[in-house]
Amino acid sequence: MSTGKRLSSGVAAAAMLVASCLPSHAQDEGGLLATATVGLGVLHDEDGTRARNELGFTLSTSTRRASLSFSLSGALEYPDADDDLTLEDPTLALAYKLTGANASLAFDAAYRQVEISTLVFDEELDPTAPITDTGYRTTADLGAELTFGIEAPFGGTVGLGLREVAYHDTDSPSLFDYDTSSADLALRFTVDPRIELSLTGSYEDIESEGAGRDRTTTVAGLGAEFQINKSLTASLNLRHTEIETSAGGGPVTRQSGPEWDATLVRTLPDGALTFDLASTVTSLGRRHEANISRTREFPAARLAWSVGLSQASDGEVDGLFSLSWTRDGKRGSFQALAERDVRASTFGDEALVDRLSIGYRRNLTELSGLTTSLTYRRTDYLDPAADTVEQMEFGLGFTRSLTERAEFTARFSHARSRSGTQDAVSENTIYLGVQRSFSWRP
């Protein structure tokens, strides 16, 4: 059995194992807290009208030495296209941490299933690649991290991770299941209160099934951080990186060389001013970036901006920027973000991503509230053979408390996307329902 096939069942096994290994005194000192959410409503979209039962459950406990959290969620819908009862978007997450006087040990596991369509965009799994297909994708993760020397002049962290990504009921020949294994090491040496040195190393191996792509990345480096004065900090990191890529067992392409990044941060009375320079190795060669950023804190708001340049290995230069504003008030909040950035996918594909998002929340009365959001995203791949993808999503929601633990919810969303010269695809969704929450100590 392959590592990827063992991983999905391993997530469930890890949940049972960690829960059973929790020290008995954890329940005595911190106690278990359980919460559950049940929602019942009607959903309408392009596939028709159906009943939707939203379910959520969390279990947590915390003491001075140990903490445990477990959660699962999903939704039952009936009827689907085949008049069957289906489970939509199931998720499972587990985290356990044991803390000592000068060290800590943490484990985490997660499982997630999401539907794939032209409108699905997942920040966590792949920050640049919208997937155009049908079916669904499952992701299973296992991780462990040891931290030592927390209060000592010498310390560090050691981390291990496994991930399995699988596609089901899809039509596209370009989607392949893949497994990822990773390991990283970071050592810290505090020379004096103003100087800290570090040694780092990481390894990541991605193996795809069939004719999919494989990618191996190895990094080793050292760094230093200097506290020049009370308001000025400088850091410099040097690394050697090697990237090997191949597809379907074909020839291996290698990119290797030195990397570096330098940062200068000045702390100001109302925020910080940061200067960044970096040179990194990519699948296509090398990328250089320079950025200036500024944050400002206000009594009820926060402003952040940055401007910069990014140069690819072919000499092409792209301008980068980011501007965000967040404000919280007594009766609501407002967030706005506009940015342009160069991002890389799991397999190293680079894209220039433009994004605009606006969100607003308003408490209409003590019992009711209104939320609205608008997001536009344009993903322009640097590979000329890849299509540019545009996406827009609009959401509007209303909630009203019925009792102390029950509320009425109404949601509307409109999503629209277009890939290359293809016709745009739109989707409208309406949901009406009632949600009830519970909490108790087992």
Side-chain angles (χ1 to χ4, degrees):
M1 185 182 294
S2 67
T3 301
K5 300 305 180 184
R6 293 194 299 265
L7 187 53
S8 295
S9 58
V11 171
M16 299 176 61
L17 178 62
V18 172
S20 64
C21 293
L22 184 66
S24 59
H25 62 75
Q27 297 190 28
D28 297 333
E29 295 181 15
L32 288 170
L33 175 63
T35 61
T37 303
V38 179
L40 182 61
V42 177
L43 179 70
H44 177 79
D45 58 16
E46 275 64 22
D47 295 329
T49 302
R50 53 198 179 275
R52 180 178 174 90
N53 180 204
E54 298 182 343
L55 305 169
F57 174 78
T58 63
L59 182 67
S60 62
T61 183
S62 179
T63 69
R64 290 175 297 176
R65 294 190 55 227
S67 63
L68 170 71
S69 64
F70 170 77
S71 66
L72 57 86
S73 63
L76 296 172
E77 293 185 1
Y78 178 84
D80 64 0
D82 299 321
D83 289 334
D84 293 329
L85 180 68
T86 59
L87 177 62
E88 299 291 329
D89 303 330
T91 63
L92 170 70
L94 172 75
Y96 175 70
K97 186 174 183 179
L98 186 64
T99 303
N102 203 34
S104 65
L105 181 62
F107 299 93
D108 61 83
Y111 174 85
R112 185 182 186 189
Q113 175 182 304
V114 294
E115 183 181 355
I116 298 173
S117 71
T118 56
L119 305 176
V120 169
F121 188 91
D122 198 312
E123 284 283 352
E124 293 183 10
L125 298 182
D126 205 326
T128 63
I131 297 174
T132 305
D133 207 329
T134 58
Y136 59 96
R137 173 179 58 189
T138 59
T139 305
D141 291 279
L142 286 174
E145 183 179 80
L146 171 65
T147 302
F148 59 92
I150 297 176
E151 301 294 338
F154 169 70
T157 60
V158 180
L160 298 173
L162 295 173
R163 163 171 284 189
E164 175 202 338
V165 177
Y167 298 94
H168 309 269
D169 302 330
T170 58
D171 299 323
S172 174
S174 61
L175 295 178
F176 300 94
D177 300 350
Y178 65 89
D179 302 330
T180 302
S181 57
S182 61
D184 59 83
L185 170 68
L187 301 178
R188 169 184 51 82
F189 306 88
T190 302
V191 179
D192 67 35
R194 297 175 300 170
I195 302 175
E196 186 173 281
L197 306 180
S198 62
L199 292 176
T200 59
S202 65
Y203 174 84
E204 182 184 66
D205 181 58
I206 304 174
E207 294 185 359
S208 299
E209 294 187 2
R213 290 184 291 175
D214 299 334
R215 176 183 169 93
T216 301
T217 305
T218 307
V219 181
L222 54 88
E225 181 175 308
F226 307 93
Q227 186 74 42
I228 299 175
N229 55 46
K230 292 183 178 181
S231 63
L232 189 62
T233 303
S235 63
L236 176 64
N237 297 289
L238 304 175
R239 299 177 298 274
H240 179 83
T241 298
E242 181 173 288
I243 302 174
E244 297 183 351
T245 57
S246 63
V252 176
T253 301
R254 290 181 175 85
Q255 295 286 351
S256 64
E259 292 185 342
W260 61 269
D261 63 78
T263 303
L264 187 66
V265 180
R266 175 170 289 279
T267 302
L268 302 173
D270 61 349
L273 178 65
T274 304
F275 301 88
D276 288 301
L277 293 173
S279 177
T280 58
V281 176
T282 69
S283 299
L284 301 177
R286 180 170 293 277
R287 178 168 292 277
H288 306 283
E289 288 192 354
N291 283 280
I292 301 175
S293 60
R294 173 77 161 95
T295 60
R296 291 196 65 183
E297 302 289 343
F298 300 92
R302 185 177 188 273
L303 173 68
W305 60 262
S306 68
V307 293
L309 296 173
S310 181
Q311 183 183 43
S313 56
D314 60 1
E316 184 74 18
V317 178
D318 296 300
L320 309 177
F321 74 89
S322 177
L323 176 64
S324 67
W325 170 257
T326 302
R327 183 175 180 82
D328 294 316
K330 293 182 178 179
R331 299 194 60 182
S333 62
F334 175 80
Q335 305 90 31
L337 170 68
E339 68 175 357
R340 163 173 282 198
D341 195 11
V342 175
R343 301 186 181 180
S345 71
T346 300
F347 293 94
D349 300 320
E350 293 185 321
L352 186 63
V353 180
D354 296 315
R355 181 185 177 192
L356 173 66
S357 66
I358 299 173
Y360 178 69
R361 178 183 58 82
R362 176 75 173 180
N363 297 325
L364 302 177
T365 67
E366 292 183 356
L367 300 177
S368 62
L370 182 71
T371 60
T372 182
S373 63
L374 175 65
T375 300
Y376 170 80
R377 192 178 203 115
R378 176 186 170 92
T379 306
D380 188 4
Y381 291 94
L382 303 187
D383 182 357
D387 291 332
T388 297
V389 178
E390 292 182 276
Q391 298 167 294
M392 188 274 290
E393 294 184 359
F394 170 76
L396 181 65
F398 171 80
T399 59
R400 179 175 177 80
S401 297
L402 303 178
T403 66
E404 184 178 353
R405 294 184 176 275
E407 67 177 19
F408 168 77
T409 301
R411 297 194 301 263
F412 168 77
S413 65
H414 171 76
R416 183 180 179 88
S417 70
R418 178 168 55 193
S419 179
T421 58
Q422 299 178 11
D423 294 336
V425 178
S426 299
E427 183 177 66
N428 296 306
T429 303
I430 300 174
Y431 174 80
L432 300 174
V434 177
Q435 189 175 78
R436 178 76 159 87
S437 61
F438 308 86
S439 64
W440 69 97
R441 291 189 176 275

